[in-house]
Structures are given as structure tokens and as C-alpha cells.
Amino acid sequence: MTGGYRDVYAAWERDPLFFWEQAAQTIDWFRAPTRIFDEGQGVYGRWYADGVTNTCYNCLDRHVEDGRGDQLALIHDSPMTGSVTRYTFSEALGEVKAIAGVLSSLGVGKGDRVVIYMPMIPEAVFSMLACARLGAVHSVVFGGFAAHELMHRIEDSEAKLVITASCGLEPGRVVPYKPMVDQAIADGQVKPAHVLVYQRPQAEAEMIAGRDVDFAAAVRDAKAAGRDQIACEPVLATDPLYILYTSGTTGQPKGVVRDNGGHMAALAWSMQNIYGVKAGDVFWSASDIGWVVGHSYIVYAPLINGSTTIVFEGKPVGTPDAGTFWRVVAEHGVSALFTAPTAFRAIRKEDPEAEFVGKYPMPTLKALFLAGERADPETLKWAERHLGVPVIDHWWQTETGWAIAANPFGLDLLPVKHGSPALPMPGYQVDVLDDAGHPVANGVLGNIVIKLPLPPGCLASFWKADDRFRKSCLEEFPGYYKTADAGYRDEDGYLFIMARTDDIINCAGHRLSTGQMEEVCATHPDVAECAVIGVADELKGQIPCGFLVLKNNVSREAGAIEKEVVNLVRQEIGPVAAFKMVIPVTRLPKTRSGKILRGTMQKIADRQPWKMPATIDDPAILGEIEAALRAHGH
Ligand code: COA
Ligand code: AMP
């Protein structure tokens, strides 16, 4: 596929099936697909329906067979432990085969679900690949989620086995993971038969006899006994590779299901054409395997592409300083770096003049990619100025698995417009509609939607919840997928993504549901009513802020109750919720039909212009909310 962006996008528009047929040729198939798109299957059709393949084979085996065995596949760089560990493709394959052998001997086979709750260590990536090798379906849970969230995911996926580590490492503290797993299993209805535990020296986990299995010992034994010769299970292109739970509008997270074939074809296309990364290049996505960015661009895309990936266990600042990112780029010869804008805001705050950048020569770095939240133009310009490479904002979501809109660096770099993730990628016809479903004019804010069918790589459905998928994503705008993002398009077709249309907020690049936090706050016995909104934050973009109305008969000190509510959210959802701001109020502003005016509250909090809603029940309450916010220094 050659040509600049306009040619390539036009080629896709002319003949989408031919376009995706060609893209699929970069993948090794056990049986090549003859039906590129089957509109009769699935919720909106399925890609490569009769193709047979294996994702692990495409990530590892084929590169070893093609002579890349000695090239680095994975570099684990951990400022948290002060170590760097490297694996070639051959070594990575050896580890993955052995883990697959262990999983198999513990009864895991094709189609079984495996929950992975691990920190940023190579064993986490190898475990994902081992599941893929067996045709088992992994569901990775981010380490910042607490036991209750973990339990939901184990239950919904009906996991047969959990893989975990004894602990994760956060700056200044060791976070025990295994007790969370024990609690999640104890509290839930679904009882996985085994828990495979990777013991880390920073905290040894207690083992439950008969259920828990030591990861390292089991892998060692599998190798010694020759139980590591596990071949790749042929799977249909449409078989699930993984389930990744993401925040929905209710407390119940949505299990986004990703397939094998379409996922690989789309990711391979993106590596070449969006990121401009070749086999042998070093690609670094500074995210976490618990998020979609980690799934797609730490694990699968770089390895499918024959590139070297970096698994980074650290933070942009404080591990040990704001120069860590540049040290990693320089030391490992990174050619493209991908992270969330919040990481750059953190670095810029610590090192406004970018003095650390000068300390690390980075001749290999060709571009910086930002996604996960809106890239504010100031941060973007700062990065451009100090790194001297193109800084590329691109927009996507857990549901799509790869960029909906981007500036395709690998094809040709289009003019950059700060604040815009540029133009739709092939596969995506993006429209902006008003609430009644009519297209809006350029420059007018509306609902951003994608014309069906979604391209390869996007979700097939929600796990065992086709109806929920239809209702929440496809029904409101018939013929389209609703992104739940609001924004506009300018006269050149550039998209500007401005806000969510639901109750999801983006905090430090992490997707959180305020509705879910409200559900948790409401369980506190002294809380009569509550509302959680996202308020602007200089570092994290947005942070949650809870307004609590206490019950009339409560005589306890409000401060103590506020602390309890904060702890409750931390316990139930996890520290990742970053729920620390609680404001007591006597009543909440509502419409006459009883709907809480969260949107107006948010505008007041962020000091944006707002209009008195015509349907408001008692206008005085908004004044009370404003006073309470300002009294809290917001
Ligand atoms: N395991 C356990 N706890 C975790 C965790 C993990 N994997 N990740 C985060 N947490 C905890 C943090 O320690 C913090 O706890 P605290 O309340 O006790 O301080 C809490 O969850 C909130 O984390 P976060 O919102 O990330 O704040 P932070 O102050 O720790 O870090 C940044 C702020 C900006 C440095 C950090 O968010 C970051 O590096 N972001 C990069 C972007 C990114 O990774 N995005 C992912 C999608 S691309
Ligand atoms: P997640 O599913 O966690 O990847 O979060 C997806 C959401 O993050 C999107 O629906 C957007 O609201 C937001 N988002 C991601 N990338 C961008 C971007 N480049 N610009 C603006 N918002 C973004």
C-alpha cells in the first residue's frame, strides 16, 4: 500500500474489502480468509470470518522462523527495582511456551478465560501471549483496581484461572496484589480452580494449598520435564483473543471483546502507516498492560510487527526524576514513544525548561505519540519545542483498539493543528451528528459517530452482552457506532475531540465512571444523596469531585464521614479512582423531574460560562454549589 494519506483513504473508500484483504496479507494464516467481511455474522458483521490463525504465532514463532530469533523482543526497564532485563524473540518464545505448558497442565484450554492481575513485569506479557498460544481468552485487570473490581471481572468472565504476582511497586510503597486476589475469590461466586503466583522478593505472598501454584517453579518444572513444547492452537479469526473491561455508564464495567484476525491486521497496518515503525525498531508505549494502549502497543502491535517493545515499570517523574523517559529512550534506542499527555504535564511541571532532555542524546527518536485524553495545546507545543520531533495526537478508545483519527506519520505527516488528532484513518467514516441524528455543519459541536461496520480490530461486542452493546453503542444513531465523544470537524476535515457525552471522565489518562463512584458513595450509611463530577485538574486533566448530602439524623462530624467515603471508594474501586475531593452540601441542584444537573455543576466548578437550565427546580441551589466549591479552593 503506497501513497499519501489522501490516496490511501480514498483507496479504502473505493474498495474497503480489497483494502482489508491486502492488510491481512501481513499476517501469517493457517488458513487464509476467503470471506473478508461476513455481514451476516455477529452484531454488525465479522472480519475474516473463515480465516484460521494464532496471535502468539504471529507475535513470536514466525519471527524466530524468519531469522529474527536473536533480535530483542522485549526490554523490561524497571527504575522501581533498578534493573533492566532483555529477552530475544527466541528467549521470549521459550518463556511463553513454558507458561503455556503450565497453563495447559492446570486445565486451561481453548476458549477458557484467564484473569491476569499483574504489575509491569515481563511475565505479565508472556502470560498474555501464553493464553493466546492456547486459544485461551485473557482478561487483564489493571493493578490500581481493588478486590471488588477484580471480583466483578473474574465473575463476569467466569475465569478458570487467575495469574498474579505477589506485589506491584508504586513509588514509596509495595502494593500487595495477592491478598486482593484472595479477597476477590473469597467474595465472589466464581471460584477459579487455580491461582498462579509470581513471587517477587519485595513481598512474598502466602499460598493457599491445593489452589495456588508458584509461577517460577511451575515454569522451571515445565521446561525440565519437556512440557514446554506447546504448539500454537489454530483459532478462527473471529475467536476472542481477550476481554478488556472498561468503564461504562453504570457500575458494571463493559467487557470489550477483541478477536484474533481483525485485531492483528489492524495493528499491523497501524504500526507501518500510523507510527512509521519497522521490524527491528524499538517501540515504547509508556502505559500499562491493564489499559488498551498497553494491550495494543506494549504487547501485540510491536511484536506482530517484529519490533522490540519496552515494558517500563516506573513513572514519568519521581523514579527517580523527570529525566527517566529520556534515559530510557537514549539507553534503548527508542524510535517512537507513545504515552498520555498527563505524563508530559507531570514532566513539564517538574522540569519546565526541559533541562533533563539535554542530558540524554536521543538520535533514534523520530516521533512522540499522545493519546488517552485530550492533548492540551500547551503541553503539545512544549514537547515539540524540547524534543524537536513531530508530536502526534491521536484519538481512540478501548472499544476501537487502535486509532480512529491520527496524523499518519508512517504515510505522510500532514500539517499539525494543535488540539486536533487530525483525520480519520482508513476504515473509519466519522460523522458529527446533532442529537436528532442530523449532520452538523463544520465547526459545530455534535456527537461523534462512526459509520458501521467498524473496521477490523474494533470490538466485536461486549462479553456475553450483545444487547447491551446494541443498546449503548448502536441504537441511538442507527447505522452508526456512538463513540460517546463530543466534538467538531473543521473546514479541512480535522476532528477536535472536546468532551464525553456520558458520565465518564479521564483522570491521568485513566478512564473512570463517575456513575460508578456515585454508586459506591451512596452505600455509606450516612449519605442520603450524592453526585460525582469530573473537575479540571492541571496535572491529571480531570479529577473526580463528590458532593455529599448527609442524612438528616446524622450527628457525627462531617469530616469523619468524608474520610470514610473517600476510603470506601478506594477500597471498592481502587486507588486508580483518585477520589480524594469530597464536598458536603445540604442539597443538590435538580431539574423538576429530579435529574441532578451534573453538567451545570461541572461548568461552575471549572469556571466556564453556564446558563441557568430552564427546567431547574430551585435556582438558588446552584449558588450554594458554587459557594461550596470556592470554599474548598476550587
Ligand atoms: N498498582 C497499584 N496502584 C496504582 C497503580 C498500579 N498499577 N497505578 C496507579 N496506582 C495508584 C497510585 O499509586 C495512586 O495512589 P495514591 O492515591 O496512593 O497516590 C493512585 O493509584 C492514582 O494514580 P494516578 O492517578 O496514576 O496518580 P499518580 O500520582 O500515581 O501518577 C502520573 C500521576 C501522571 C505520573 C501517572 O498517572 C502517569 O504516569 N500517567 C501516565 C499515563 C498513563 O499511564 N496512562 C494510561 C493510559 S495511556
Ligand atoms: P480509553 O477507552 O481508556 O482509551 O478512553 C477513551 C476515551 O479517552 C475517548 O473516548 C476520549 O474521550 C478520550 N480520548 C482518548 N484519546 C483522545 C484524544 N487524542 N483526544 C481527546 N480525547 C481522547
Side-chain angles (χ1 to χ4, degrees):
M1 233 166 282
T2 51
Y5 166 77
R6 305 265 171 208
D7 291 346
V8 171
Y9 193 81
W12 164 73
E13 278 182 309
R14 249 190 333 271
D15 194 346
L17 295 189
F18 180 67
F19 182 93
W20 289 118
E21 186 179 4
Q22 282 207 312
Q25 285 171 10
T26 53
I27 297 307
D28 280 21
W29 298 88
F30 300 151
R31 186 177 76 211
T34 59
R35 304 205 60 186
I36 301 306
F37 185 67
D38 184 344
E39 55 192 21
Q41 280 197 38
V43 177
Y44 62 86
R46 300 300 306 264
W47 291 98
Y48 311 120
D50 61 348
V52 177
T53 184
N54 181 285
T55 296
C56 180
Y57 179 81
N58 277 276
C59 287
L60 298 175
D61 303 59
R62 66 165 175 170
H63 301 308
V64 175
E65 289 165 15
D66 290 350
R68 287 194 175 276
D70 293 336
Q71 182 205 303
L72 287 181
L74 186 151
I75 301 169
H76 180 236
D77 188 306
S78 170
M80 297 307 302
T81 58
S83 66
V84 174
T85 317
R86 296 177 172 84
Y87 294 85
T88 63
F89 274 96
S90 293
E91 288 165 341
L93 179 59
E95 296 304 311
V96 169
K97 281 164 90 173
I99 298 168
V102 173
L103 295 180
S104 176
S105 67
L106 293 173
V108 174
K110 188 174 181 172
D112 290 334
R113 273 81 60 204
V114 174
V115 161
I116 299 177
Y117 183 64
M118 292 180 107
M120 289 291 286
I121 54 177
E123 289 72 17
V125 175
F126 297 154
S127 296
M128 293 165 77
L129 292 164
C131 289
R133 190 169 193 86
L134 295 172
V137 182
H138 62 67
S139 184
V140 180
V141 181
F142 178 61
F145 283 119
H148 192 254
E149 287 294 301
L150 183 58
M151 181 196 81
H152 266 313
R153 287 149 171 83
I154 293 172
E155 296 225 301
D156 194 69
S157 66
E158 297 171 285
K160 195 164 186 181
L161 183 132
V162 177
I163 310 180
T164 191
S166 55
C167 65
L169 306 173
E170 284 292 290
R173 71 195 161 103
V174 172
V175 184
Y177 277 29
K178 173 66 168 32
M180 300 278 186
V181 174
D182 291 342
Q183 197 188 328
I185 296 177
D187 292 350
Q189 304 290 321
V190 171
K191 309 284 182 194
H194 293 288
V195 178
L196 195 53
V197 185
Y198 186 83
Q199 296 280 15
R200 304 187 81 186
Q202 294 81 6
E204 186 94 353
E206 277 186 29
M207 304 290 269
I208 295 179
R211 188 196 72 181
D212 297 348
V213 178
D214 184 280
F215 188 106
V219 166
R220 211 172 36 240
D221 292 350
K223 285 180 183 168
R227 273 184 281 106
D228 56 347
Q229 293 312 306
I230 301 285
C232 290
E233 179 73 25
V235 295
L236 277 173
T238 51
D239 280 340
L241 170 69
Y242 70 75
I243 307 167
L244 178 57
Y245 288 87
T246 188
S247 300
T249 43
T250 67
Q252 186 72 23
K254 309 185 288 193
V256 165
V257 179
R258 196 88 58 210
D259 68 15
N260 280 274
H263 178 237
M264 283 195 280
L267 292 187
W269 188 89
S270 74
M271 282 308 271
Q272 301 283 335
N273 298 287
I274 299 179
Y275 301 98
V277 173
K278 298 188 297 297
D281 287 348
V282 181
F283 187 79
W284 179 25
S285 171
S287 176
D288 188 287
I289 50 148
W291 306 116
V292 70
V293 175
H295 280 63
S296 294
Y297 293 105
I298 294 174
V299 184
Y300 290 111
L303 296 178
I304 288 167
N305 200 44
S307 309
T308 305
T309 189
I310 295 187
V311 175
F312 174 70
E313 190 181 28
K315 303 272 175 182
V317 293
T319 60
D321 54 39
T324 306
F325 270 29
W326 323 134
R327 196 260 311 149
V328 172
V329 170
E331 194 170 320
H332 306 304
V334 170
S335 72
L337 166 62
F338 178 173
T339 191
T342 192
F344 267 75
R345 287 197 295 271
I347 294 171
R348 182 180 167 204
K349 194 164 164 233
E350 294 266 308
D351 183 19
E353 297 311 318
E355 283 164 18
F356 276 112
V357 175
K359 296 191 179 157
Y360 299 97
M362 295 182 273
T364 52
L365 188 68
K366 293 201 192 93
L368 165 69
F369 294 87
L370 298 176
E373 57 177 320
R374 187 173 149 73
D376 59 291
E378 280 319 303
T379 304
L380 219 134
K381 286 180 200 161
W382 182 86
E384 278 175 344
R385 198 164 56 244
H386 293 293
L387 292 181
V389 296
V391 178
I392 296 171
D393 178 16
H394 58 323
W395 165 60
W396 49 298
Q397 22 180 240
T398 306
E399 288 84 343
T400 66
W402 64 289
I404 308 165
N407 197 330
F409 180 69
L411 279 171
D412 58 344
L413 190 66
L414 304 166
V416 171
K417 295 195 188 194
H418 295 126
S420 166
L423 293 153
M425 290 296 94
Y428 296 98
Q429 182 193 318
V430 178
D431 287 317
V432 188
L433 306 180
D434 65 16
D435 287 348
H438 304 120
V440 298
N442 287 341
V444 175
L445 199 75
N447 300 284
I448 311 188
V449 294
I450 302 166
K451 188 118 170 94
L452 293 174
L454 292 167
C458 291
L459 82 168
S461 187
F462 297 144
W463 180 248
K464 290 205 288 188
D466 286 350
D467 272 351
R468 189 175 176 200
F469 175 49
R470 278 192 201 95
K471 277 202 183 78
S472 63
C473 301
L474 308 181
E475 251 173 28
E476 194 173 336
F477 301 103
Y480 289 98
Y481 163 81
K482 179 179 91 168
T483 65
D485 277 317
Y488 63 93
R489 199 199 309 258
D490 75 3
E491 62 287 356
D492 298 321
Y494 278 57
L495 289 162
F496 289 77
I497 316 299
M498 306 308 291
R500 292 284 302 193
T501 59
D502 54 15
D503 67 357
I504 283 168
I505 62 167
N506 214 308
C507 174
H510 305 143
R511 175 164 158 179
L512 304 169
S513 160
T514 54
Q516 184 184 18
M517 291 185 221
E518 283 182 9
E519 283 175 24
V520 175
C521 295
T523 61
H524 189 284
D526 294 335
V527 172
E529 243 191 327
C530 64
V532 178
I533 59 168
V535 299
D537 181 77
E538 251 187 25
L539 174 66
K540 298 192 177 187
Q542 279 183 306
I543 47 168
C545 170
F547 294 84
L548 303 183
V549 180
L550 300 185
K551 287 181 180 160
N552 280 338
N553 57 357
V554 172
S555 55
R556 296 170 59 219
E557 201 218 324
I561 299 171
E562 287 163 32
K563 271 197 198 123
E564 286 167 14
V565 172
V566 165
N567 282 337
L568 198 60
V569 174
R570 193 176 171 95
Q571 250 168 40
E572 292 292 303
I573 300 178
V576 66
F579 184 80
K580 292 183 179 168
M581 196 198 297
V582 173
I583 302 182
V585 289
T586 47
R587 37 194 201 154
L588 292 170
K590 291 185 187 164
T591 61
R592 282 189 286 275
S593 60
K595 207 168 158 256
I596 298 174
L597 292 162
R598 296 180 183 80
T600 314
M601 291 166 77
Q602 186 188 337
K603 288 203 171 81
I604 294 173
D606 293 349
R607 296 174 193 265
Q608 285 173 10
W610 58 277
K611 275 199 218 119
M612 184 63 72
T615 53
I616 193 163
D617 187 27
D618 181 350
I621 304 178
L622 287 174
E624 293 168 19
I625 295 291
E626 182 162 19
L629 274 160
R630 305 298 175 246
H632 269 75
H634 208 83

